Amino acid sequence: MSEAFDAVDVIRAKRDQQVLTDAQIDWVIDAYTRGVVAEEQMAALNMAILLNGMTRPEIARWTAAMIASGERMDFSTLARPTADKHSTGGVGDKITLPLAPLVAVFGVAVPQLSGRGLGHTGGTLDKLESIPGWRAALTNAEMLAQLDDVGAVICQAGSGLAPADRKLYALRDVTGTVESIPLIASSIMSKKIAEGTGALVLDVKVGSGAFMKSLEDARELARTMVDLGTDAGVRTSALLTDMSTPLGLTAGNALEVRESVEVLAGGGPADVVDLTVALAREMLDAAGRPDADPAAALADGRAMDVWRAMIAAQGGDPDAPLPTAKHTEQVLAPADGVLVALDALAVGIAAWRLGAGRARREDTVQAGAGIELHAKPGAPVRAGQVLMTLHTDTPDRFDRAAEALTDAVTIAPAGSRPATGAVVLERVDAA
Ligand code: URA
């Protein structure tokens, strides 16, 4: 078959800061998915996009082309409205676990297609797979049946959804081209639009542990994604949330499940509860349930009931003990004072090195590995007090994890205040 374009011409156009035509974009995504555009050519094009950017119409067309590379799901047969949440990824970000069942309490179906972690941010599926028996892979029919019965499902995205993104993301990951706003926005939104949710709330993380290190970049990413969703007919809004310090008191798979269950039992760390409730309010509002009271449903056990049903529906035993690591080591406070900073990226890298994350897609993760925090920014501390407990099955990993934590902790004289406070920083709505 003769091809409509030559990949080198498309690469040169973006290299020379031209705006790609709709036809060029449609062709390059389709030809890459078919294997006609080679990996090294797509890598060069991604780098040109990272360096030179894309206009809004280019991003919209790139997203549409990725959606067209695969199937679109359809939830229109469900009796309930649908709402989904997507986080751009952070350290200790276990919010999906309590959030999906919490929103389902109010008759809104939550189809949460999730991924596995790569690098220092954990993956929701890795966390849930620490629950004995729990299964991530569902057919579309199983997913629909669970949404009908239970109201919430967290499962692996099928390979038919935006296959172009699957290839592209793997390539970006190994070619230093993840951190591009057009590429991140189109990657996330192609999957969410193809998934067919009626409403979508984006949790755009800002800070050391996030892709977006500055508020300005996070705002631009949020605005780009909200516009893409809105133009595609999905009610979309975004919260910009702090990721300069880990969320909650745990980073690691089973450790984060344990903390999520504490939140579902009406307890848990305040930042996790606050963000879960804030995102639930956004989702419920967008799904036409503005009067729902998610804080009450966490406190009185209704969200826990849905959690138990959701885990059991996917073969998991909600009462089974969670795996624990074979070895632990403590990190002590070096001085008296106030803990004013606890760096998210350092904690994320350390948890990853302990075995909670993977370096390559084919690696396995340790269910029990990770980090427990015993103090958060703002807490007064004494020299020698335990600040963190490191968990792993493979104790030769402790040294490399401790190395990552060398500058993670900042202790200032008594009376000092931490630089960060509220978890939710800003909101971005349809323009
Ligand atoms: N998550 C995605 O799905 N894609 C990106 O590009 C970044 C985060």
Side-chain angles (χ1 to χ4, degrees):
M1 168 177 151
S2 88
E3 295 293 330
F5 294 93
D6 184 333
V8 180
D9 292 337
V10 181
I11 297 165
R12 282 200 187 109
K14 190 40 79 183
R15 181 198 68 190
D16 296 342
Q17 305 189 347
Q18 292 169 22
V19 174
L20 300 181
T21 65
D22 289 353
Q24 282 176 318
I25 291 173
D26 292 351
W27 175 79
V28 84
I29 294 286
D30 177 55
Y32 175 60
T33 311
R34 286 186 285 121
V36 168
V37 169
E39 295 290 341
E40 60 272 23
Q41 292 177 312
M42 199 50 147
L45 181 58
N46 283 339
M47 187 58 83
I49 292 170
L50 180 134
L51 295 172
N52 293 329
M54 272 179 156
T55 63
R56 286 292 159 90
E58 278 179 298
I59 301 172
R61 191 71 181 202
W62 188 270
T63 307
M66 294 217 289
I67 295 169
S69 73
E71 62 171 337
R72 289 187 77 147
M73 295 187 69
D74 180 11
F75 297 125
S76 62
T77 55
L78 290 176
R80 324 173 188 211
T82 48
D84 192 5
K85 184 266 313 188
H86 182 86
S87 157
T88 56
V91 178
D93 184 3
K94 71 273 297 169
I95 301 293
T96 296
L97 277 56
L99 180 65
L102 173 58
V103 171
V105 165
F106 299 96
V108 174
V110 185
Q112 186 77 53
L113 300 182
S114 299
R116 293 200 163 69
L118 195 63
H120 74 275
T121 61
T124 298
L125 301 181
D126 294 325
K127 296 172 201 194
L128 286 166
E129 280 173 344
S130 66
I131 300 173
W134 188 86
R135 169 169 80 90
L138 299 184
T139 63
N140 287 357
E142 284 173 326
M143 188 179 171
L144 270 172
Q146 189 171 326
L147 284 172
D148 236 348
D149 285 355
V150 179
V153 61
I154 304 175
C155 66
Q156 185 179 324
S159 56
L161 215 62
D165 177 63
R166 194 174 301 271
K167 255 188 108 174
L168 207 54
Y169 191 68
L171 177 66
R172 286 167 56 213
D173 199 46
V174 293
T175 54
T177 50
V178 168
E179 299 89 344
S180 149
I181 289 176
L183 294 178
I184 296 175
S186 55
S187 165
I188 292 173
M189 294 307 293
S190 62
K191 287 173 288 200
K192 291 295 159 183
I193 296 167
E195 172 199 287
T197 183
L200 175 65
V201 177
L202 299 157
D203 179 1
V204 178
K205 303 285 184 200
V206 193
S208 76
F211 285 127
M212 298 294 119
K213 309 290 180 203
S214 75
L215 200 52
E216 203 184 347
D217 283 348
R219 265 187 209 124
E220 188 185 335
L221 177 62
R223 169 55 55 210
T224 308
M225 293 196 292
V226 168
D227 288 351
L228 283 171
T230 306
D231 289 351
V234 182
R235 283 182 304 284
T236 312
S237 64
L239 297 183
L240 306 190
T241 69
D242 181 49
M243 191 29 72
S244 58
T245 203
L247 255 176
L249 293 168
T250 56
N253 301 308
L255 290 170
E256 291 191 47
V257 173
R258 192 191 73 197
E259 188 170 276
S260 303
V261 172
E262 284 165 16
V263 170
L264 287 158
D271 57 348
V272 178
V273 175
D274 289 352
L275 185 52
T276 304
V277 169
L279 288 164
R281 287 214 171 95
E282 286 285 326
M283 290 168 75
L284 290 163
D285 222 14
R289 303 277 193 279
D291 300 328
D293 181 357
L298 268 187
D300 65 17
R302 278 176 291 161
M304 177 69 100
D305 292 343
V306 179
W307 160 264
R308 294 175 61 82
M310 177 181 86
I311 296 302
Q314 289 172 246
D317 177 356
D319 296 314
L322 290 164
T324 52
K326 295 194 180 83
H327 303 271
T328 58
E329 201 170 277
Q330 296 178 331
V331 175
L332 307 181
D336 288 349
V338 175
L339 179 64
V340 287
L342 178 57
D343 185 62
L345 181 61
V347 172
I349 291 174
W352 173 39
R353 289 183 179 173
L354 288 165
R358 53 173 72 73
R360 290 168 309 166
R361 215 161 275 278
E362 58 277 16
D363 292 349
T364 52
V365 297
Q366 293 182 19
I371 299 185
E372 247 180 304
L373 307 172
H374 303 290
K376 292 272 282 187
V381 295
R382 304 295 306 260
Q385 168 185 338
V386 180
L387 287 185
M388 301 179 214
T389 304
L390 314 185
H391 298 244
T392 185
D393 291 333
T394 38
D396 55 334
R397 292 171 179 260
F398 280 130
D399 286 351
R400 294 262 295 138
E403 226 173 80
L405 292 169
T406 311
D407 299 319
V409 169
T410 310
I411 294 175
S416 306
R417 297 175 70 86
T420 52
V423 185
V424 178
L425 305 171
E426 283 182 25
R427 180 171 187 278
V428 176
D429 206 347

